[in-house]
Amino acid sequence: MMSFENKSTDELLRIAKAGLGFTLIATGKTAEDIDQLANAAAESGAKITFVYKPISKQTHDQQPNLIAKSV
């Protein structure tokens, strides 16, 4: 499985503009980055699923809750 969270926004924009979909753990991205990616996906027909991990102090045995939103 390919990881996308370490890719730059420019790389992700190229992927989205090509019409390719992906899932992105978006917790580290800015609102502007998310907006640009969502707009590129809407224009090309790509499907991006943004997954947000709540930032909190957890012990290693607790499972983080994930919130996903697809565009």
Side-chain angles (χ1 to χ4, degrees), residues 15-60:
I15 294 167
K17 287 178 180 179
L20 302 173
F22 54 90
T23 298
L24 176 68
I25 297 175
T27 304
K29 296 291 183 188
T30 66
E32 182 180 344
D33 292 342
I34 300 299
D35 187 54
Q36 289 178 357
L37 291 166
N39 287 331
E43 289 175 11
S44 70
K47 180 180 177 182
I48 302 175
T49 301
F50 296 100
V51 178
Y52 298 90
K53 289 184 179 181
I55 300 172
S56 65
K57 294 180 181 177
Q58 296 180 339
T59 62
H60 61 82

